Amino acid sequence: MDIRFSDCSVKFKTHVALHPFSLVLSERRIGIIGLNGSGKTTFAKLIDGLVKPTSGTVTVNGLDTVKDAKAVLSVAGFIFQNPAQQLIMPQVMEDIVFGLKAHGLGPAEAEARARAALARFGIEALGPRRVHELSGGELQLAAIASVSATGPDILIFDEPVNQLDLKNRRRVVEAIHALPEHAIVISHDLPLIEDFDRVLVFHEGRIVFDGLPAAAIKHYREIAGC
Amino acid sequence: MLTSLYVEGDTFLHRQRPGAKLALILVVGLALYVTESLTVQAVAAVIAAAIYFSLPIPFREAIYRLKPVLFTIAVLGLINIWLLSPHEALVSTLRLLAVVFLAAAVTATTRIADFMETITWALQPAEKLGIVRAADVGLALGLVLRFLPDIFAHYEGLKHAHAARGIAFRPLRALGPLIILTLKDADAIADAIDARGIRGR
């Protein structure tokens, strides 16, 4: 993985969401922490090209997120805060197949890949289930299976264990830790990122700390005053 | 709670091809619009209602699904009585009821994926002429059907929020928050569609 931000900034009308910064990311597990509204989600969406930089450039494995937007989407997958909104079809299996067909696979191959994706996370039983009937943890696992089925190198998670009970949290955390893909995880759940390779701390649209988890968490606690 | 517009089952309608069902709505709809016969409209409305209520949907849910549309038809009927003759008002109301019951029956017996594939296929000639992007229209229709229950859930949530605060619930007062919640959902869903690279391939 090679993600490069060069003199990158993001401004929404008059509000500066991210002040200019340059950065290179290559580690296998990267955590992003910070207070609400500090710019974490905007930063993550920059990687996937969902937010375009107001100035500067972002490249993912050499692909420009503006010029090569479609190619970037094949390299980096995004799992949103509310996975129910990203599962477009009413049934889990249908949704995974739909995503794969949209990436050009034929019906038989899409179905085989979808079954493999469900098996990979041990959630074969969720295939025929309706999205509306799933628990928070099941939804999150279904979304991970759906996004990873298309074969991205990088998975970006926006608060993946938000509002999960302990049992579902454990299932999702184990799934994230076992991923062979690179993972960039926004989280308010600090134990989740404790053993990550690198953690960025955001505050008021700036990266105010970049380093190992223990020191990053300490810095974040100082900002939060607790 | 309404979780999906599609209902599992093995009724006659379930077994029909989505294209045939959509063609049926089109033909019946057009046929009803070329006749002013009260008898024909009444028979059509009764048959369509019978088809809809014979589906494996509990009666209360069957009514709940159509409540906003039935309310709108009732309002339109009252306006028509005021503006037109009672005969004309009755004809247009029965016509709308027939089409709505038939469309609801087709929606309840057709998987969203099948709907989307059929619409996308049917619009291929229009795509070749450069008029529309067939897959986008299919996706748009699929999204409406998939997320309609979420709008119902928001509506229920607003009702509960009013009740929890001891405030009398008025549907009109909930309209603003409901629109805002729906638009916020739409933003998130659009982001997800972009992130999954589903459009524009």
Side-chain angles (χ1 to χ4, degrees):
Chain A
M1 178 179 86
D2 181 73
I3 301 173
R4 289 173 189 270
F5 301 84
S6 305
D7 291 324
C8 186
S9 72
V10 177
K11 200 173 169 183
F12 298 121
K13 291 183 180 168
T14 55
H15 170 67
V16 180
L18 285 174
H19 293 276
F21 68 99
S22 293
L23 191 72
V24 177
L25 302 176
S26 58
E27 291 75 8
R28 194 165 160 269
R29 292 286 180 268
I30 295 170
I32 299 171
I33 55 177
L35 301 175
N36 293 333
S38 57
K40 306 183 297 294
T41 299
T42 304
F43 174 81
K45 285 185 174 177
L46 267 177
I47 300 170
D48 214 20
L50 293 174
V51 168
K52 310 292 181 206
T54 308
S55 67
T57 58
V58 184
T59 61
V60 179
N61 291 356
L63 299 163
D64 187 290
T65 59
V66 177
K67 292 175 195 158
D68 312 307
K70 281 184 196 168
V72 168
L73 291 174
S74 299
V75 176
F78 203 109
I79 291 106
F80 288 80
Q81 240 181 73
N82 181 357
Q85 289 175 331
Q86 100 174 73
L87 298 169
I88 292 164
M89 303 304 277
Q91 281 183 332
V92 175
M93 183 71 177
E94 276 181 352
D95 185 83
I96 303 176
V97 168
F98 174 68
L100 289 165
K101 280 185 183 171
H103 279 73
L105 270 70
E109 196 185 351
E111 196 158 325
R113 283 265 292 268
R115 288 194 193 289
L118 289 169
R120 182 181 163 197
F121 295 98
I123 52 169
E124 296 96 321
L126 298 189
R129 297 268 306 276
R130 288 187 187 184
V131 169
H132 280 102
E133 294 168 355
L134 303 183
S135 70
E138 289 171 336
L139 272 173
Q140 196 65 249
L141 289 170
I144 297 171
S146 184
V147 172
S148 65
T150 58
D153 295 335
I154 306 158
L155 290 173
I156 304 161
F157 294 86
D158 193 354
E159 299 187 29
V161 294
N162 191 19
Q163 296 182 353
L164 295 188
D165 62 34
L166 285 174
K167 189 180 167 192
N168 279 311
R169 179 194 174 279
R170 196 189 68 206
R171 288 180 77 187
V172 173
V173 169
E174 282 173 0
I176 292 173
H177 280 140
L179 287 170
E181 293 94 344
H182 288 79
I184 297 171
V185 182
I186 299 175
S187 185
H188 290 297
D189 183 309
L190 301 178
L192 169 63
I193 49 111
E194 265 174 355
D195 58 353
F196 275 23
D197 303 313
R198 182 177 177 183
V199 174
L200 310 177
V201 183
F202 280 75
H203 187 56
E204 295 177 350
R206 289 187 168 86
I207 299 168
V208 293
F209 186 89
D210 178 358
L212 293 172
I217 291 170
K218 185 170 177 282
H219 197 92
Y220 175 44
R221 287 191 187 285
E222 283 168 10
I223 291 170
C226 52
Chain B
M1 188 187 131
L2 184 58
T3 57
S4 170
L5 295 180
Y6 175 74
V7 179
E8 293 285 350
D10 189 31
T11 65
F12 176 75
L13 267 185
H14 278 91
R15 291 192 295 273
Q16 303 313 305
R17 291 163 61 113
K21 287 187 265 189
L22 288 173
L24 176 74
I25 296 177
L26 187 69
V27 170
V28 171
L30 287 174
L32 291 179
Y33 271 85
V34 294
T35 174
E36 291 297 320
S37 160
L38 189 61
T39 314
V40 171
Q41 304 292 350
V43 169
V46 169
I47 292 173
I51 293 171
Y52 177 63
F53 287 108
S54 71
L55 296 174
I57 312 172
F59 182 76
R60 280 185 69 176
E61 191 193 313
I63 292 290
Y64 178 72
R65 285 167 168 241
L66 295 182
K67 224 162 122 184
V69 189
L70 294 178
F71 175 75
T72 310
I73 292 175
V75 172
L76 269 173
L78 290 174
I79 294 171
N80 282 340
I81 287 175
W82 183 46
L83 293 174
L84 311 167
S85 69
H87 176 269
E88 286 172 315
L90 203 53
V91 163
S92 71
T93 303
L94 288 170
R95 180 186 287 144
L96 283 173
L97 282 174
V99 174
V100 162
F101 281 129
L102 192 60
V106 169
T107 306
T109 56
T110 311
R111 289 182 184 279
I112 292 177
D114 295 336
F115 255 133
M116 290 168 69
E117 271 182 22
T118 306
I119 295 287
T120 306
W121 170 80
L123 288 175
Q124 286 302 322
E127 177 160 313
K128 280 180 186 147
L129 294 171
I131 300 168
V132 290
R133 281 163 67 171
D136 282 0
V137 180
L139 178 62
L141 180 86
L143 289 174
V144 170
L145 296 176
R146 158 71 175 84
F147 288 100
L148 209 55
D150 289 43
I151 298 173
F152 275 96
H154 283 321
Y155 181 79
E156 288 297 320
L158 287 167
K159 259 167 87 172
H160 291 157
H162 276 71
R165 295 173 64 189
I167 302 168
F169 181 75
R170 292 199 185 94
L172 270 181
R173 193 163 52 201
L175 201 58
L178 190 62
I179 290 171
I180 291 166
L181 285 169
T182 306
L183 289 176
K184 282 183 80 172
D185 278 0
D187 259 353
I189 294 160
D191 264 357
I193 288 167
D194 284 345
R196 291 180 66 184
I198 284 167
R199 282 192 73 237
R201 280 176 185 271

